[in-house]
Amino acid sequence: MNRRTSGGLLAMATVATALTGTAAGTAHAAGAATACVMRENSPHTDWTGMTWDADILCDNTPGDVHLQSFADSPVVGRMVTTRSWFVCWKVGDPHAGGNNIWYYTQGDEIVSRPTAQAWGYMPAVRLETSQDPEPGLPKCSWG
């Protein structure tokens, strides 16, 4: 799994992140969704310098990460894992999930615009949430 860092070309995810941040969950692999988990003391800093000290860890369907919360927004990353973390949500375009909630995260792979380091939005339809937005996850401060 690859995550870009602002100081280097490519960095391997830490063992802790690989085990708890984005690794496929056993229940999901067996076909059963696992509830999202709120995680305190899970710091993240995006490509703009915004920081979070918590996230949610949810089962998800791999897919594109968009620069903005719009279907026609450039794809900047790709999520290839099936249990990933998300730091906030915002309202965007309606999507196949029947709502307009999008979750902010960092994709596993950079697709375009390397400066964005694969940070962007996935539509709620790709996450196994109890409801959208997921209770306890903050709304993105800019959305």
Side-chain angles (χ1 to χ4, degrees):
M1 175 177 71
N2 299 328
R3 298 274 178 149
R4 307 257 175 173
T5 61
S6 58
L9 176 64
L10 183 66
M12 294 302 291
T14 63
V15 172
T17 300
L19 294 175
T20 62
T22 57
T26 305
H28 186 72
T34 303
C36 293
V37 176
M38 292 294 304
R39 301 187 310 171
E40 300 295 329
N41 301 314
S42 294
H44 302 282
T45 303
D46 76 1
W47 66 285
T48 69
M50 292 287 296
T51 61
W52 294 265
D53 58 7
D55 63 19
I56 59 167
L57 183 65
C58 296
D59 287 351
N60 60 273
T61 303
D64 294 338
V65 176
H66 294 264
L67 185 61
Q68 294 294 329
S69 55
F70 307 108
D72 62 354
S73 177
V75 173
V76 294
R78 186 152 297 115
M79 192 69 74
V80 297
T81 52
T82 58
R83 188 149 175 89
S84 307
W85 53 262
F86 302 85
V87 295
C88 63
W89 62 272
K90 71 180 275 196
V91 172
D93 277 353
H95 51 75
N99 65 43
N100 59 358
I101 303 300
W102 292 65
Y103 291 92
Y104 193 59
T105 188
Q106 184 178 29
D108 298 313
E109 300 174 346
I110 293 176
V111 172
S112 69
R113 301 189 187 203
T115 305
Q117 301 172 1
W119 278 90
Y121 300 88
M122 291 185 72
V125 68
R126 295 210 167 270
L127 281 70
E128 295 289 335
T129 52
S130 61
Q131 68 184 56
D132 295 306
E134 177 67 19
L137 188 68
K139 184 174 183 182
C140 299
S141 62
W142 55 88

